[in-house]
Amino acid sequence: MIDLYYWPTPNGHKITIFLEEAGVDYRIVPVNIGKGDQFRPEFLAISPNNRMPAIVDDAPAGGGAPISVFESGAILVYLAEKTGKFLPSDARGEAKALEWLFWQVGGLGPMAGQNHHFARYAPEKIPYAIKRYVNETNRLYGVLDRRLAQAPFLADVYSIADMASYPWIVPYEAQGQRLDDFPHLKRWFETIAARPAVQRAYEAGKHLPQPRGSFTAEERKVLFGQTAGSAAAASAR
Ligand SMILES: N[C@@H](CCC(=O)N[C@@H](CS)C(=O)NCC(=O)O)C(=O)O
């Protein structure tokens, strides 16, 4: 059984997609990031960056104490290795999957995240910041489109690389992008959206409050303007 520390955001969806696709038993432990659950000492013990997702595997390969993993990319690799699924085992295929996985966690995720922040959530609308991240998201969509013109999936076969990128394309309209401008990306997106396991993954978080495109004053206080000092104070509460 895997305990998944989760909230229904793109980074959370990556992991429910894997677990549903691989048919792994899991239990969702909600981490309400708008209420500050990410600062609870028991959560920080497994995810010291005060970000979800994180997992605890109480039946690790080889036995022994439970293993916890934070960072969505590390979680996907861990689960792929544990189950032997969705990470090609040949050197060429594995390198492809890992390069696109790292591209997502180091590029698409952070850039689209800043896009969401400045275009939708920031209290001041700063045209330079909005343009910078909408343009950068657009460039990254172009990178995906060119790759997907060569292959059906990022690592040729469906893998953890696709599972990492897909949830970050779901909000493409909010990111100021048009899928019609990226036909190969659009074909890939529609193929993944139609997978029953992907649909179950999104259903799995439906009982929790969904992202609304805006935050209450209380949520903004928790989420924005975090510093080392504020994070330490929040965890001591
Ligand atoms: N690099 C991390 C990013 C995770 C992340 O940013 N999670 C957000 C939700 S999508 C979060 O937990 N935010 C809580 C906060 O900002 O305090 C990963 O890929 O797992």
Side-chain angles (χ1 to χ4, degrees), residues 83-97:
T83 58
K85 292 181 178 168
F86 301 115
L87 178 60
S89 52
D90 64 296
R92 202 175 300 275
E94 182 181 1
K96 244 319 129 257

Side-chain angles (χ1 to χ4, degrees), residues 102-201:
F102 279 71
W103 174 88
Q104 190 288 318
V105 294
L108 179 63
M111 294 301 121
Q114 296 304 319
N115 176 328
H116 294 182
H117 182 82
F118 286 107
R120 296 159 84 191
Y121 306 138
E124 313 155 54
K125 293 283 169 255
I126 306 166
Y128 178 86
I130 295 171
K131 190 165 174 224
R132 172 170 164 74
Y133 291 110
V134 168
N135 284 352
E136 179 61 2
T137 306
N138 187 265
R139 185 187 71 79
L140 293 165
Y141 275 45
V143 174
L144 279 175
D145 196 56
R146 280 194 300 281
R147 169 62 189 149
L148 292 166
Q150 303 165 336
F153 295 104
L154 292 170
D156 297 322
V157 294
Y158 183 55
S159 76
I160 53 176
D162 304 292
M163 297 177 196
S165 279
Y166 171 80
W168 283 96
I169 305 300
V170 171
Y172 63 90
E173 280 173 337
Q175 294 168 7
Q177 310 301 323
R178 296 177 348 137
L179 282 193
D180 285 337
D181 295 342
F182 303 100
H184 307 287
L185 174 58
K186 185 174 181 191
R187 183 260 312 145
W188 169 92
F189 178 79
E190 288 171 351
T191 302
I192 296 178
R195 293 179 70 89
V198 171
Q199 292 167 6
R200 288 198 302 277

Side-chain angles (χ1 to χ4, degrees), residues 7 9-12 14 31 33 38-39 43 49-53 70-73 75 104-105 110 168 222-224 226:
W7 200 242
T9 72
N11 287 317
K14 294 174 186 176
V31 181
I33 58 174
Q38 67 272 41
F39 297 108
F43 179 66
N49 191 36
N50 69 262
R51 298 282 186 273
M52 71 87 225
F70 73 100
E71 279 295 321
S72 60
I75 296 168
Q104 190 288 318
V105 294
W168 283 96
V222 172
L223 287 167
F224 303 147
Q226 293 174 8

